[in-house]
Amino acid sequence: MKMFCFQCQETMKNTGCTEGGVCGKRADVANRMDELVRELKRIALTRKPDRELGLFCVQSLFMTITNANFDETRIAAQIERAKKLAGETSVAVPLGVLSCENEDLRSLRELLTYGLKGIAAYADHAAMLGREDDAIYAFVFKALAATAEDHSAEELTALVLEAGSVAVRTMALLDEANTSAYGKPRITKVRTGVGKRPGILISGHDLCDLEELLEQSKEKSIDIYTHSEMLPAHAYPAFRKYPHLYGNYGGAWYRQNLEFASFRGPILMTTNCITPVQSAYKDRIFTTGMAGYPNVPHIPDRPQGGHKDFSAIIALAQRCPPPVELDNMEIVNGFAHDQVLELADKIVAAVKKGAIKRFIVMAGCDGRQASREYFTRTASELPPDTIILTAGCAKYRYNKLALGQIDSIPRVLDAGQCNDSYSLALIALKLKEAFGLDDVNALPLSFDLAWYEQKAVAVLLALLSLGFRKIRLGPTLPAFLSPAVASILVRNFGISGIDTPEHDVAAMMRGE
Ligand code: SF4
Ligand code: SF3
């Protein structure tokens, strides 16, 4: 066995990647990531969290998320910094997932670690906008330390549940950071076609990078296109002010090997998900932030109080031909909590008169496995009196289908990025109030979530901590859940795997 990683949904045979990652991560990089996580645990065991250490730890965890960073050199540099921060210590921390021999304790430790990675990614985005929360850093330290100590299954389970409430807190912090910097998302139509000028394609989740790129590329005779999880940026008032923010290009992250060639201009990957870089576009792709890929130029972090320098990308764009059209339609988004709550009266009235029978939350991730066709078929087969609430890149499985409207409310309400699942939870809690219910699970609401990487783990734990039950999760249940831990989730929270679209649509419509 050259490595062991089972943190994402496409892990080999749904058991673990042992020779190389299905994602393209080489064994040496995977082993370096294990080392980095070990050093973070050492820091957590020996140091008190402060802002500098807290940010360092969340950024390091973010680097190890699936499809964020494939660059061994940068991970090695991060390990060296971590060793210095941990200082001289005799604290021994075992290396790698399999160092814990007890299957159930291992499962709980990894569930906690992956929840932390998701929290870390969201905490980093908030920090880039100047929002940090000492309580989040304190929990990251406590939980990292706990994964290296002797704790019972009960103690680890309690920490997993606490991670859910910290994930809510982190998504709320990021929501606050995004909306105070860029305004409250409004319903927005986004073009998927192309213009006549060269373009820059920006992917990932970091809105601060988008802002700086838009500002620096003004009046340079180029257009900016969003990709994958950057699509929701169009709904923020601050970004709508830039006429050269042209539209959204392509589908979800995993199609980049098919779609980046025809973009023909530079591509900026701000976070996950980057996939193995193809020769057709290797000379015009860049990373920034925690993203990284060997031999791909990396735009350095902004200096204190300053901004990143995107001039090299902009200059390259000016020498490139315009993108080739992939399709030409409009996608409607911007249904974050404030916007949906403005429609609350209309929605409540539609439910009361029977025009809306059920809401189905289909948030989460997309991915390349053919079995994810399930989500397209489920969206298509849901009865016309249902509303799909979505967030995250899972939406690309159905956001270009003509699913129609109910009383002028679109049948797919897209709240934004995966972290905007927070908006969906707020909407559900408000609907509970509007209907005078005691329990959110009494709403006509079902969950059919698609997961892929560790941010989805944080979102799932957040939903559980808010009291949501009976969540379907697909296309497979996580390999890191041991049978005993999976049965706790099934028994206590009603989590289940998916079946066929026909079966699940019928079951959800019965409230099961
Ligand atoms: Fe395998 Fe996923 Fe880990 Fe990549 S991130 S090595 S695909 S389990
Ligand atoms: Fe997507 Fe990577 Fe998870 Fe942010 S972009 S949801 S997979």
Side-chain angles (χ1 to χ4, degrees), residues 101-300:
E101 283 172 16
N102 180 304
E103 183 187 42
D104 298 326
L105 293 179
R106 183 197 310 147
S107 176
L108 287 165
R109 283 180 184 186
E110 295 310 311
L111 175 56
L112 179 56
T113 305
Y114 305 151
L116 280 185
K117 290 187 182 193
I119 289 169
Y122 297 149
D124 178 53
H125 292 312
M128 293 305 102
L129 292 168
R131 304 286 167 133
E132 293 179 271
D133 178 345
D134 294 326
I136 295 170
Y137 292 152
F139 179 75
V140 169
F141 270 55
K142 178 169 87 166
L144 274 173
T147 62
E149 294 166 335
D150 277 337
H151 283 285
S152 66
E154 290 69 30
E155 288 164 338
L156 287 169
T157 305
L159 279 168
V160 166
L161 298 181
E162 193 178 343
S165 43
V166 176
V168 176
R169 189 179 178 117
T170 315
M171 288 193 280
L173 182 73
L174 180 53
D175 181 71
E176 233 273 299
N178 286 337
T179 52
S180 53
Y182 307 121
K184 293 174 179 169
R186 309 293 301 165
I187 298 172
T188 304
K189 286 184 180 159
V190 182
R191 295 181 280 203
T192 68
V194 299
K196 294 191 168 45
R197 306 195 298 182
I200 296 173
L201 188 58
I202 176 168
S203 188
H205 303 66
D206 197 308
L207 298 184
C208 193
D209 288 338
L210 174 65
E211 179 191 11
E212 292 180 356
L213 178 65
L214 283 167
E215 198 50 42
Q216 292 171 35
S217 58
K218 279 194 306 200
E219 291 151 22
K220 295 270 168 43
S221 302
I222 57 173
D223 290 320
I224 304 297
Y225 292 79
T226 55
H227 173 256
S228 195
E229 277 283 71
M230 202 56 89
L231 160 65
H234 291 269
Y236 287 88
F239 299 132
R240 291 173 70 173
K241 285 193 281 198
Y242 293 94
H244 68 304
L245 178 60
Y246 189 90
N248 190 69
Y249 191 82
W253 63 271
Y254 69 96
R255 295 182 56 80
Q256 59 196 258
N257 60 336
L258 304 172
E259 296 177 342
F260 281 1
S262 59
F263 185 73
R264 305 203 294 184
I267 301 143
L268 174 64
M269 306 300 293
T270 66
T271 59
N272 63 325
C273 287
I274 181 169
T275 66
V277 172
Q278 308 293 303
S279 56
Y281 55 86
K282 71 173 174 24
D283 297 330
R284 51 185 171 83
I285 186 165
F286 298 78
T287 59
T288 192
M290 293 305 110
Y293 199 87
N295 304 317
V296 164
H298 186 80
I299 306 295

